[in-house]
Amino acid sequence: MPTETTPTAPTLHRIVIVGGGAAGVELATRLGRREGRHGRASITLVDRNRTHLWKPLLHRVAAGTMDPTEHQTDYLAQARWNHFRFQQGALEGVDRARRVIQLARLVDTEGGEVLPPREVPYDTLVLAIGSQSNDFGTPGAAEHAIALDTPAQATRFHARLLNACLRADLDDAPADPHALHVAIIGAGATGVELSAELHKVVRELVAYGLHRIDPERDIRITIIEAAPRILPALSERLSEATRKLLERLDVAVMTGERVTEVTAHGVHTASGRFVGAGLVVWAAGVKAPPVLGTIEGLEVNRLNQLVVRDTLQTTNDPSIYAIGDCAACAWAEKGGFVPPRAQAAHQQASHLAADLPRVIGGRAPHAWRYRDFGSLVSLGKYSTVGSLMGSIARGSLMIEGLFARLMYLSLYKAHEYALYGFTKVSLDTMARLITRRTSPQIKLH
Ligand SMILES: Cc1cc2nc3c(=O)[nH]c(=O)nc-3n(C[C@H](O)[C@H](O)[C@H](O)COP(=O)(O)OP(=O)(O)OC[C@H]3O[C@@H](n4cnc5c(N)ncnc54)[C@H](O)[C@@H]3O)c2cc1C
């Protein structure tokens, strides 16, 4: 298997970051600007894709209220501008004894080989390969439900939604009465946000000329949740307020219903109910990618996440770090583990960007502490709800409306700011505001 060589001084410390998501691309960018630029370390980012899209935007891509191409980061360009290297490839294994990672053969869409399987050597390895949906082995879920883990899945859902609308607009008597019914499994932030976006989108689609669809008659959105209430991460009051708002939008909310099977025609639950649906989204539960469980000698939990110390180093190998959704880091204040959230990924990337250069320089690593700023849920144009935690609110403060919306947007702006800096973020934001006036409000292809 060919091994990559670094085209820089051989004595440079090699930091390899695998996974260019909310955590990994921020870390590579910051380390590149800080260390790579001055030739103090060689930084390589590896991702299975060529572009990065911030994952919390995926429900908007699925609904069609956001064009992913306008928000994607091109890894090669980002690497060039920020003094790190980019390698495309999917992590297949880690040989800890030889300190190399193994990347799978890279093929194009026609199945032709672009790159053979390769090895990339490291001195320090940071694993940041995120998480994927956990369907808990529910029969039919893998075949019939779409998860929102990648831009490709979100785009596929959007195409299926558009196709279903086009078909329904042509048929006077549709063969499948549930063709425009959407079942969303899981009432966490993703499921709730998607339902509100979909409510808006289908009405706008009709306004673009699909007049034979009557949204009140033909469209039905149902959220199915196994827990007793929606949005378990928020307070009962906000959960109840959100439920009422969803019901006003005609979104059916079923709680305390565990899904037992997904078929081509809908969803069966443990209580014997059947929800007919032409489109099913799985938005309940996450687990880390299976490859992490195959790395010999590293400790994983039952969700396949790598167990890390408070320094973010894996418990059995201090030269391997894990950050973001694929890491299980104890949450001292609350007990349990730090939740899989973009804000945790962002904070861990910022911590390592400052701490890794110290550790490479021979000093002891600093501990990282999660600062919980609360949870926010956007209900599209209808509302934003959530709670602010910690030092901002000195406890917990429930927020709704415009202020909550601004706080929600600020998390994405913080990510963009870490990648591009103030000038580019301001110019891009202005450009998007201008093009919004001259383009359709939803993606029609
Ligand atoms: C629809 C949706 C809405 C969300 N909304 C919010 C929100 O409002 N607030 C919030 O805090 N969090 C939210 N989250 C959670 C948040 O997106 C994640 O916690 C965050 O993205 C985790 O960052 P990460 O870097 O660990 O993983 P990711 O951002 O998922 O990045 C992982 C990267 O690793 C790459 N990768 C995966 N496997 C491999 C492999 N084998 N080899 C090479 N590369 C690989 C992927 O291509 C990807 O680039 C949301 C998630 C979803 C799905």
Side-chain angles (χ1 to χ4, degrees), residues 18-25 46-49 51-60 75 89-92 103 128-132 148-150 189-191 193 286 289 291 323-327 339-346 348 370 374 376-378 408 411:
V18 189
V25 72
V46 175
D47 199 283
R48 60 186 174 189
N49 297 323
T51 54
H52 157 72
L53 182 74
W54 198 58
K55 212 171 166 184
L57 301 176
L58 288 182
H59 68 283
R60 293 190 55 201
Y75 288 123
L91 180 78
E92 243 185 358
L103 301 183
I129 58 174
S131 60
Q132 58 192 54
L148 296 186
D149 292 329
T150 63
T190 304
E193 291 184 336
V286 294
V291 63
I323 56 174
D325 286 6
C326 75
R341 297 224 187 108
Q343 54 171 312
H346 172 69
Q348 291 175 333
Y370 179 50
L376 293 163
V377 179
S378 164
Y408 182 85
L411 188 60

Side-chain angles (χ1 to χ4, degrees), residues 289-367:
V291 63
L292 297 176
T294 68
I295 307 173
E296 217 182 304
L298 294 193
E299 187 188 354
V300 288
N301 66 7
R302 64 184 174 80
L303 295 178
N304 246 344
Q305 291 167 305
L306 289 166
V307 184
V308 294
R309 299 177 193 281
D310 58 5
T311 54
L312 304 177
Q313 288 160 309
T314 51
T315 44
N316 296 335
D317 189 338
S319 65
I320 302 185
Y321 290 71
I323 56 174
D325 286 6
C326 75
C329 184
W331 191 359
E333 284 85 359
K334 289 253 171 122
F337 293 107
V338 171
R341 297 224 187 108
Q343 54 171 312
H346 172 69
Q347 290 175 34
Q348 291 175 333
S350 305
H351 173 81
L352 278 197
D355 212 44
L356 273 183
R358 295 182 61 260
V359 177
I360 291 166
R363 281 183 279 170
H366 280 148

Side-chain angles (χ1 to χ4, degrees), residues 40 62 121 167 243 249 298 303 338 405:
R40 291 197 287 255
R167 272 197 299 270
R243 182 189 179 104
L249 298 180
L298 294 193
L303 295 178
V338 171
R405 175 101 195 120

